Amino acid sequence: MTGYTMLRNGGVGNGGQTCMLRWSNRIRLTWLSFTLFIILVFFPLIAHYYLTTLDEADEAGKRIFGPRAGNELCEVKHVLDLCRIRESVSEELLQLEAKRQELNSEIAKLNLKIEACKKSIENAKQDLLQLKNVISQTEHSYKELMAQNQPKLSLPIRLLPEKDDTGLPPPKVTRGCRLHNCFDYSRCPLTSGFPVYVYDSDQFALGSYLDPLVKQAFQATARANAYVTENADIACLYVVLVGEMQDPVVLRPSDLEKQLYSLPHWRTDGHNHVIINLSRKSDTQNLLYNVSTGRAMVAQSTFYAAQYRPGFDLVVSPLVHAMSEPNFMEIPPQVPVKRKYLFTFQGEKIESLRSSLQEARSFEEEMEGDPPADYDDRIIATLKAVQDSKLDQVLVEFTCKNQPKPSLPTEWALCGEREDRLELLKLSTFALIITPGDPHLVISSGCATRLFEALEVGAVPVVLGEQVQLPYQDMLQWNEAALVVPKPRVTEVHFLLRSLSDSDLLAMRRQGRFLWETYFSTTDSIFNTVLAMIRTRIQIPAAPIREEVAAEIPHRSGKAAGTDPNMADNGDLDLGPVETEPPYASPKYLRNFTLTVTDFYRSWNSAPGPFHLFPHTPFDPVLPSEAKFLGSGTGFRPIGGGAGGSGKEFQAALGGNVPREQFTVVMLTYEREEVLMNSLERLNGLPYLNKVVVVWNSPKLPSEDLLWPDIGVPIMVVRTEKNSLNNRFLPWNEIETEAILSIDDDAHLRHDEIMFGFRVWREARDRIVGFPGRYHAWDIPHQSWLYNSNYSCELSMVLTGAAFFHKYYAYLYSYVMPQAIRDMVDEYINCEDIAMNFLVSHITRKPPIKVTSRWTFRCPGCPQALSHDDSHFHERHKCINFFVKVYGYMPLLYTQFRVDSVLFKTRLPHDKTKCFKFI
């Protein structure tokens, strides 16, 4: 038991042995660790020292472990293999690097090809969209034509009249000549163009008797007329000049009749002929007195009732300015409305009514009944009573201070010289014109001269005698420019004149000035009016107006236009459709052959009607409120129409009565290529842009290496004949849209601003719609007008450096506006924008519309412009005052109306917050 227990507990003897064993193991581990430490630390040190000592030995043979000189190390076979491997690896690395660079180059080329392919794909998509739009437009046009059921017809073949024209059946009474029985319509087809043949006065005996000044002026006018032709065989109308005769010449009626019948194209009765007798003096004789004119029309200033054939003959104005243009500087202004005298009259009656009737019996064989009562005595008494009452300052004189001018019997003769009469009329608000006492004298050259002089200086004519036939009376509405009062109402004349308001009086004076300038003032206006009267009567449309043929300057394009972020950032405004619409020209004016049939007369103080001297324009200046309709079955439907809706639907379509429309940018430039290129690039991606017409105003052509940007629409560079700011408004034939955006080459406008201005113009097509506003002001100390460019809540002009206007005004500016204004623009190289504002305000009697733009308009850092010169504003002051003299009044109108877009979120400066905005 004891042994067992000792064994189980380890015993005393065994316990000592176990402890020794453990101590022995610990010593061995310690010794092993120390030995390893000695080996790992001291042995490398000893070896390093030994090797270093051997390398420092002098003998070469003892250098066992040191580096060998040259390539001795490679002599070892193993080292040689390593060197060979290193050289091989290096060579392979060089080859791999070359291949890597080559692959990178190929990858770059492929990336460029990929980008080019992507661009080609995008261009192809755009072309496809354009083709789809063209197809859609064509289908739409086809459907409209089918619904209209009016296929397009080609012009009919013109039938030329036979040379041996036998003429028409003679009328029963010569005085019964009218167009239907005395005019040969077969010589004047609708498509003939109204050719007119003018007889050369020098080739006939009649020409030797004519007044040289009248003959010279008439020949110069005929040569420059668009309707005159030298081919008599195709002529629709034949014109022969018979007066005015020289003073000593007295031609018997039988001799004159014989010379008329000897004309080569008279054809026995003179049909389709017009005999013109122009009078320069108030005593011009009635050459066609007792002369049988057959079926020829007569145009002169003196007619008896037995001579005059209503609707066939023409009463024309006397020829006062034969070879000279009116001097606008001598014409008085139309304001103030009231002048010194309420009305004036100067004249002397040479012969009484009864004696004149007795002498005229040989000619007036068809007069029936007793002669009417002579109201001249009552007129004299009434007018003297008004003068003596001194209620108003009037001047009436019934006896000439000097010898009166010769006149016809019963006619009130003119007193004094023309200059004296004009000076008196300049002081007169109204000018009395007393018609001859003989009621069978429907018009005389003396009355026509009084009317001419009154209209010239702005005295409103008051004609006493309703039986008078005023010049062009069947075409002009004389009630808009003159008062025609029956002689029995002479006692009511004073009351009638005092009842007219200033606004009505100014309107009549302005209309009279317009009639005088257009139909009376020069030989050109008289001859053109005669032709226009006849052409309108026979319902032939006017010839197309002349357009300026654009001489294109060849240029290279292809540089991809960048997009200015400032121009492209449009905020929330959707400018237009997503797809790119191809260029779409505005529809031409196609009512030419029905205009004179459907509309007999339309007064045009603001726009020409059917009877006007100027050829028709290819675009109809119709306001958007005038709806256009197409026939469709049982009723009518509007062409297009607004898409309606709101938000995106409204912004993505133009809508309105003309839903498909584009505009043309006209940009005037002069030797600023870099500025021009930047401006063109800013137009990239602009919706509804048809094309850009760059008017190159410099005689120096653009640089040959100049690369023009590709903005997605055609860029037409037009060369001008001379450096003139008037070139900005020439009606170039390349402008195929009604809307024109005139913009300077240094103007900065965002796309959203341009689109908003376009939308506003479409709602006011007859006005100038633009961004920079200016106004005129009256300088009280100097009694003249000033041009003001300060910021103001009120304006009267919108500068055409960034403005929309209708192409119709380009025709008026270039061909109708007085030449003196364009000459002033060329003289100062300035004021063309003011001239356009004057013209439009004069025509429409409306102010322009300002569209609010952001506050950065001019190009920062661009070369200096003409407007930076100090003399710029002084010249504009002079221009305004000169234009006022030409027009006779100030046509500009003030307005506080301004159109803002709520999408602009414009923040106004603190000093502008009092201005009203209309949204």
Side-chain angles (χ1 to χ4, degrees), residues 52-224:
T52 304
T53 304
L54 290 178
D55 290 337
E56 291 177 356
D58 295 334
E59 295 83 359
K62 295 181 180 179
R63 299 178 60 188
I64 301 173
F65 299 97
R68 299 178 181 272
N71 295 327
E72 293 179 0
L73 185 60
C74 295
E75 293 177 359
V76 182
K77 183 177 181 181
H78 181 67
V79 175
L80 288 176
D81 293 339
L82 293 177
C83 291
R84 193 179 302 111
I85 292 173
R86 187 188 65 179
E87 293 176 358
S88 176
V89 170
S90 300
E91 184 177 355
E92 290 180 358
L93 289 176
L94 293 175
Q95 293 178 357
L96 289 176
E97 180 64 22
K99 289 183 179 180
R100 188 183 67 83
Q101 294 179 358
E102 184 179 354
L103 290 175
N104 288 336
S105 176
E106 292 181 359
I107 291 172
K109 292 180 180 179
L110 291 176
N111 288 332
L112 292 177
K113 290 182 179 180
I114 291 173
E115 294 297 329
C117 291
K118 289 181 179 179
K119 188 175 181 180
S120 300
I121 293 172
E122 292 297 328
N123 294 335
K125 288 181 179 179
Q126 294 293 332
D127 295 341
L128 180 60
L129 289 176
Q130 291 183 1
L131 290 175
K132 289 181 179 179
N133 290 332
V134 172
I135 295 173
S136 176
Q137 293 171 8
T138 306
E139 292 177 350
H140 181 68
S141 301
Y142 176 75
K143 291 179 181 178
E144 287 183 348
L145 290 175
M146 294 301 294
Q148 197 175 13
N149 197 20
Q150 292 181 358
K152 290 186 178 181
L153 301 177
S154 60
L155 295 177
I157 299 176
R158 183 180 177 187
L159 301 177
L160 298 178
E162 298 179 0
K163 294 183 179 181
D164 299 332
D165 191 357
T166 57
L168 300 172
K172 295 180 180 181
V173 182
T174 306
R175 286 192 57 200
C177 257
R178 299 296 184 269
L179 288 176
H180 69 276
N181 58 2
C182 289
F183 190 84
D184 186 6
Y185 281 90
S186 65
R187 300 191 65 89
C188 306
L190 287 176
T191 59
S192 62
F194 192 60
V196 177
Y197 179 79
V198 179
Y199 288 99
D200 188 357
S201 302
D202 295 331
Q203 296 182 1
F204 303 99
L206 185 64
S208 59
Y209 305 129
L210 296 176
D211 185 333
L213 190 59
V214 173
K215 181 173 65 175
Q216 181 182 359
F218 184 80
Q219 290 176 346
T221 297
R223 285 193 298 267

Side-chain angles (χ1 to χ4, degrees), residues 798-814:
V798 167
L799 303 187
T800 55
F804 285 92
F805 63 90
H806 200 287
K807 189 182 179 182
Y808 180 73
Y809 295 125
Y811 297 104
L812 296 184
Y813 184 98
S814 302

